[in-house]
Amino acid sequence: MSGKPRLTYCNGRGRMEPVRWLLAAAGVEFEEIFLETKEQYQKLINDGVLLFQQVPLVEIDGMKMVQTRAILSYIAGKYNLYGKDLKERALIDMYVEGIADLMQMILMFPFSPPEAKEKNLDSIKERATNRYFPVFEKVLKQHGQDFLVGNKFSWADVQLMEAILAVEEKIPAVLSGFPQLQAFKVRMSNMPTIKKFLQPGSPRKPPPDEHYIETVLKIFK
């Protein structure tokens, strides 16, 4: 095995996509193993690789890491994307947890029954525009800096950028009332590592399609 982190998950976004975003933003190349069958998943469990019998799995620095939050905080700390002190880390944690709540709604959306999709989409729009995006609009406006915490690029910026793009895929005009977030999106898009990740052919995964949904249900149900 090379020195690159190795990511094991389905060939789609799911709970691994924020890990891909964070590694890419840090300029770290990684390898991926895609689960396609229940047998592959069961073998990982049988071999004792998955601590809680769940993926994502990230092999990094000799560890076999599970639990998305633990993986992300380790990567953020390792690559200096986790603030300069405990207070900045606390802020980053709060912002990241809030964004994760919104992303959970987006994560589950493709698996909702057809009759619930319109209602769930309305819920995503309502939460994004009334609960989550106003927080970050206010933060950016109040301190007038380019980044959310300590005027330095951090995990929180990466996760917010991922969330903005994910919501825009479903609600294209969602940022119309958020000029600070519009400017933030432009700044993030022009950062070299993120710009590279947003190019075709990068490890960034497309929105979930029917094949991805079928694969997930086949493996994990």
Side-chain angles (χ1 to χ4, degrees):
M1 178 183 169
S2 74
K4 295 177 184 176
R6 185 163 66 179
L7 284 50
T8 300
Y9 198 70
C10 301
N11 188 6
R13 289 183 182 174
R15 297 187 188 282
M16 187 65 92
E17 194 68 358
V19 177
R20 298 182 186 109
W21 265 90
L22 195 57
L23 285 169
V28 179
E29 292 186 357
F30 53 87
E31 298 172 350
E32 297 200 72
I33 295 172
F34 297 125
L35 297 176
E36 294 170 355
T37 66
K38 199 172 186 74
E39 289 70 31
Q40 284 176 292
Y41 177 51
Q42 193 60 50
K43 185 177 188 308
L44 290 173
I45 294 172
N46 294 344
D47 290 348
V49 173
L50 304 177
L51 193 63
F52 299 108
Q53 302 185 16
Q54 293 171 313
V55 289
L57 167 67
V58 174
E59 296 171 79
I60 184 170
D61 295 342
M63 296 186 292
K64 296 184 191 304
M65 294 196 72
V66 295
Q67 299 298 320
T68 310
R69 171 65 205 236
I71 294 164
L72 289 167
S73 59
Y74 181 80
I75 293 166
K78 179 178 171 71
Y79 296 107
N80 201 24
L81 296 169
Y82 211 174
K84 71 177 186 298
D85 56 31
L86 207 52
K87 285 188 176 179
E88 286 194 357
R89 283 183 63 168
L91 270 179
I92 290 168
D93 283 341
M94 284 197 295
Y95 294 159
V96 161
E97 288 293 316
I99 298 162
D101 290 344
L102 176 61
M103 290 301 289
Q104 177 67 16
M105 298 174 73
I106 293 166
L107 185 75
M108 298 311 296
F109 179 77
F111 299 95
S112 51
E115 64 273 13
K117 281 210 176 341
E118 187 176 344
K119 180 180 174 226
N120 290 349
L121 191 60
D122 286 344
S123 293
I124 290 170
K125 182 178 181 181
E126 193 275 329
R127 290 288 178 86
T129 55
N130 293 330
R131 181 179 295 188
Y132 295 109
F133 287 174
V135 169
F136 301 108
E137 181 76 9
K138 184 178 178 183
V139 167
L140 291 166
K141 187 171 185 178
Q142 281 183 337
H143 64 37
Q145 297 168 344
D146 287 348
F147 304 108
L148 287 171
V149 178
N151 204 22
K152 187 170 182 288
F153 185 48
S154 78
W155 173 19
D157 299 303
V158 179
Q159 197 132 335
L160 179 57
M161 181 62 177
E162 180 191 2
I164 286 170
L165 296 184
V167 176
E168 279 188 330
E169 285 173 352
K170 294 178 170 39
I171 307 146
V174 73
L175 289 189
S176 58
F178 301 101
Q180 297 291 334
L181 289 182
Q182 291 173 33
F184 173 85
K185 177 188 162 189
V186 172
R187 287 196 299 275
M188 291 298 107
S189 300
N190 286 319
M191 292 195 66
T193 55
I194 290 181
K195 190 172 187 177
K196 183 179 177 184
F197 190 60
L198 294 176
Q199 297 297 317
S202 85
R204 185 182 179 218
K205 302 296 179 271
D209 59 13
E210 286 302 319
H211 175 70
Y212 171 74
I213 293 163
E214 286 170 12
T215 302
V216 169
L217 293 175
K218 177 178 71 178
I219 293 172
F220 302 116
K221 289 294 182 187

